[in-house]
């Protein structure tokens, strides 16, 4: 599966670069009986449905021309925006998220908790600092980046 993701990433990157779009993530997953190839794209100011359709058409044409077929099984291609709860994967994602409300899931618990939400204060290659709220009290937490299973923007309620 990682070879599918790598191959699709290699194929879609020039298409996106030509349009000045950003590749957020590529995933190839089986859900029920069906396989899905999902490509999440974005740009400054957000991506619209026509731009997603354009990339979908271009990518589909490129994949059809590949020999041998990098994805021999039937699959559904979905090209879309990462949405309001965009994942934080690359350094640029974290940089844009400084000051934003985020959700972090951990591999190992801290103070008995494996999930935190709060405002990203800062980050470096080894850790991030977020301000979380426990009832009425604010607490600054430092989290090792190697302990982060997933991080994403979050909607604050």
């Amino acid at each position: 599966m990682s070879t599918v993701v790598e191959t699709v990433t290699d194929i879609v990157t020039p298409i996106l670069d030509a349009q000045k779009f950003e590749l957020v993530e590529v995933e190839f997953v089986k859900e029920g009986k069906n396989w899905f190839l999902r490509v999440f794209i974005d740009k400054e100011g957000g991506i619209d449905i026509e731009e997603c359709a354009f990339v979908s058409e271009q990518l589909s044409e490129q994949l059809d021309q590949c020999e041998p077929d990098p994805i021999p099984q039937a699959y559904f291609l979905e090209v879309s925006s990462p949405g309001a709860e965009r994942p934080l994967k690359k350094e640029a994602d974290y940089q844009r998220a400084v000051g934003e409300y985020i959700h972090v899931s951990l591999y190992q618990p801290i103070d008995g908790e494996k999930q935190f939400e709060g405002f990203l204060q800062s980050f470096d290659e080894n850790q991030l600092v977020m301000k979380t709220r426990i009832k009425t009290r604010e607490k600054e937490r430092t989290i090792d980046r190697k302990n982060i299973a997933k991080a994403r923007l979050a909607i604050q309620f």
Side-chain angles (χ1 to χ4, degrees):
M1 280 187 269
S2 65
T3 58
V4 170
V5 170
E6 291 166 3
T7 300
V8 171
T9 298
D10 291 344
I11 293 169
V12 78
T13 298
I15 297 167
L16 299 176
D17 288 348
Q19 301 299 314
K20 296 189 175 24
F21 296 164
E22 174 190 0
L23 177 62
V24 175
E25 185 174 21
V26 175
E27 64 180 25
F28 186 58
V29 295
K30 187 172 186 180
E31 294 177 1
K33 296 178 184 178
N34 298 313
W35 283 91
F36 292 87
L37 174 59
R38 294 190 177 112
V39 179
F40 298 96
I41 63 175
D42 208 357
K43 70 170 188 188
E44 184 84 27
I47 204 89
D48 65 36
I49 195 161
E50 288 84 17
E51 292 163 327
C52 290
F54 173 80
V55 171
S56 179
E57 290 169 12
Q58 295 290 311
L59 177 57
S60 183
E61 285 177 21
Q62 293 287 325
L63 287 169
D64 288 346
Q65 293 174 10
C66 287
E67 287 295 331
D69 190 345
I71 313 171
Q73 64 265 52
Y75 64 93
F76 294 96
L77 173 61
E78 297 176 353
V79 177
S80 65
S81 160
E85 294 189 336
R86 176 189 173 128
L88 304 177
K89 295 195 173 261
K90 300 177 270 189
E91 293 301 303
D93 298 334
Y94 282 96
Q95 187 62 46
R96 279 192 298 262
V98 171
E100 300 290 330
Y101 194 75
I102 66 168
H103 176 94
V104 176
S105 298
L106 305 176
Y107 291 116
Q108 299 295 319
I110 298 174
D111 299 331
E113 300 291 327
K114 287 182 79 173
Q115 296 186 20
F116 295 99
E117 286 195 359
F119 290 93
L120 179 60
Q121 302 297 301
S122 63
F123 75 97
D124 63 29
E125 63 189 37
N126 299 315
Q127 59 191 14
L128 61 81
V129 177
M130 43 186 310
K131 190 176 285 187
T132 61
R133 182 176 288 268
I134 303 168
K135 297 183 182 176
T136 59
R137 195 171 46 104
E138 283 190 346
K139 181 174 182 176
E140 198 167 88
R141 294 191 183 276
T142 301
I143 300 172
D144 288 336
R145 297 225 1 222
K146 65 182 178 220
N147 191 23
I148 297 174
K150 289 186 179 181
R152 63 172 169 77
L153 294 176
I155 299 171
Q156 185 179 13
F157 291 100

